[in-house]
Amino acid sequence: MGVILKPIDIVDDITQEEFREKYLIPRKPVVIKNMAKKWPAYQKWTMDYVKEVVGDITVPLYDSAKADPSAPINTPTTEMKFADYIDLIQREPTDLRIFFFDPIKHASKLLDEYIPPKELMGGFLDKYPGMFFGGKGSVTFLHFDIDLAHIFHTHFNGRKHVLLFEYKWKDRLYKLPYATYALEDYDIANPDFEKFPALDGVEGIECFLEHGDTLFMPTGWWHWMKYLDGSFSISLRAWDKSWAVKANSLWNLTVQRNFDNFMKGRYKKRYMDWKEKKAVERANYALKKGLPKR
């Protein structure tokens, strides 16, 4: 059976009513082809342009290695001058990525060149966009966003492969306790079902993003991303109206993350071994019980 992947819905344009009824309320992903074509960024955001605008700053970089059990989540692997990094990802494959680059802090000019899609929904955190850069072949591990926002993720200058899974599959995806990411010992794009049997039968959505494509990811959706070319994206975030979702977001950002970082720092490998053991136990239990129910 394997991992069951369906193609994502793709639209050229969409009205607010259609978006709310078909995607926002049922929390279903969709790719919107023409949204970014209205932005100045669609024409302007080349590799050379962002290199010029950002300037000569040093940026933290992340690789695809399994996380250090004693380090807080999102601890960088190394650092490099931004211009040198852009040259690198244009020149050759690399697993180095820039995670959640802040354009306000480093390149405020970029803020004038995209347009939050407020005609589709409200609640945008206009002052908190994030940019993501990756070399050909680099991978963003399977996770869901800790703040549980709705995400409009627009890609530039290349292609990106994306796999998406509803939150309800968390146990079958080997979610680690007190974390928003999965066990890092398997490749969700090519899993070993003998070692990770709970993945067999998991249902998801697959899409391929090209220059200017905007992916809507509803709150709580798990996502795995692979850069097929050296390229970059910008994510615009919007709050869900549900107070339960907002409360869960606050818990994740404060209590859960601080507790997890404390336990990592104090118990290191012993704590991570326990987390991984629990993830496997929960996955096997969910598989045995046929969870989640369709």
Side-chain angles (χ1 to χ4, degrees):
M1 183 163 32
V3 175
I4 303 167
L5 298 173
K6 296 180 180 179
I8 198 167
D9 285 3
I10 300 174
V11 299
D12 289 330
D13 298 287
I14 193 167
T15 66
Q16 182 185 66
E17 182 179 1
E18 290 173 323
F19 177 72
R20 285 181 54 80
E21 290 182 359
K22 294 182 178 180
Y23 303 105
L24 181 59
I25 294 174
R27 295 180 178 172
K28 180 180 179 182
V30 62
V31 169
I32 306 172
K33 300 289 288 186
N34 291 340
M35 178 184 294
K37 291 182 179 179
K38 307 178 183 73
W39 304 356
Y42 183 76
Q43 298 292 342
K44 298 178 72 172
W45 284 13
T46 64
M47 292 290 194
D48 288 339
Y49 179 75
V50 294
K51 184 166 66 172
E52 174 189 345
V53 171
V54 171
D56 190 28
I57 66 168
T58 299
V59 292
L61 300 175
Y62 303 80
D63 64 16
S64 302
K66 187 173 180 178
D68 180 347
S70 64
I73 186 67
N74 299 328
T75 300
T77 303
T78 186
E79 60 182 28
M80 187 182 293
K81 292 290 187 182
F82 182 80
D84 292 339
Y85 174 75
I86 295 299
D87 289 341
L88 172 65
I89 66 174
Q90 291 187 92
R91 184 176 65 245
E92 62 190 59
T94 175
D95 71 342
L96 294 175
R97 298 175 290 110
I98 298 178
F99 172 81
F100 223 101
F101 177 84
D102 182 355
I104 294 177
K105 181 178 179 181
H106 300 294
S108 59
K109 182 178 179 181
L110 298 175
L111 298 179
D112 299 325
E113 297 171 351
Y114 71 85
I115 305 169
K118 295 180 180 179
E119 74 279 5
L120 296 184
M121 65 175 295
F124 278 92
L125 306 173
D126 295 354
K127 296 183 179 180
Y128 301 98
M131 296 185 74
F132 304 82
F133 296 75
K136 180 179 180 179
S138 62
V139 172
T140 303
F141 58 79
L142 185 63
H143 70 287
F144 63 94
D145 285 16
I146 192 169
D147 63 355
L148 299 177
H150 297 297
I151 308 295
F152 288 82
H153 185 80
T154 303
H155 197 60
F156 294 91
N157 284 270
R159 297 166 300 143
K160 182 182 277 188
H161 183 198
V162 183
L163 301 181
L164 301 159
F165 302 92
E166 277 189 86
Y167 183 77
K168 68 181 183 179
W169 291 99
K170 63 184 186 301
D171 289 337
R172 294 278 295 275
L173 292 172
Y174 296 85
K175 177 186 178 297
L176 293 170
Y178 305 110
T180 59
Y181 56 97
L183 194 67
E184 296 177 68
D185 296 330
Y186 68 84
D187 176 6
I188 189 61
N190 187 30
D192 183 334
F193 296 111
E194 289 189 6
K195 290 184 178 179
F196 304 99
L199 297 174
D200 195 11
V202 168
E203 299 173 5
I205 292 175
E206 181 176 38
C207 73
F208 294 86
L209 300 178
E210 298 180 341
H211 179 82
D213 288 349
T214 299
L215 167 64
F216 169 67
M217 288 187 291
T219 174
W221 274 73
W222 290 81
H223 44 284
W224 169 96
M225 298 183 174
K226 182 175 184 178
Y227 290 82
L228 302 181
D229 304 292
S231 47
F232 62 92
S233 308
I234 186 169
S235 283
L236 309 178
R237 317 175 81 75
W239 286 120
D240 188 82
K241 288 186 175 181
S242 165
W243 284 105
V245 171
K246 291 175 182 176
N248 198 353
S249 169
L250 184 62
W251 172 269
N252 289 346
L253 289 164
T254 55
V255 178
Q256 177 175 279
R257 181 160 64 180
N258 289 331
F259 173 79
D260 194 49
N261 286 339
F262 169 79
M263 295 294 286
K264 283 181 181 178
R266 178 144 189 179
Y267 297 104
K268 299 180 172 61
K269 186 176 184 299
R270 184 158 58 124
Y271 175 59
M272 285 303 297
D273 288 346
W274 173 82
K275 287 176 57 148
E276 292 182 359
K277 180 181 178 182
K278 291 301 292 184
V280 171
E281 289 176 355
R282 291 173 179 175
N284 290 338
Y285 178 81
L287 177 62
K288 180 180 179 181
K289 294 295 184 179
L291 301 174
K293 299 299 184 182
R294 304 304 196 270

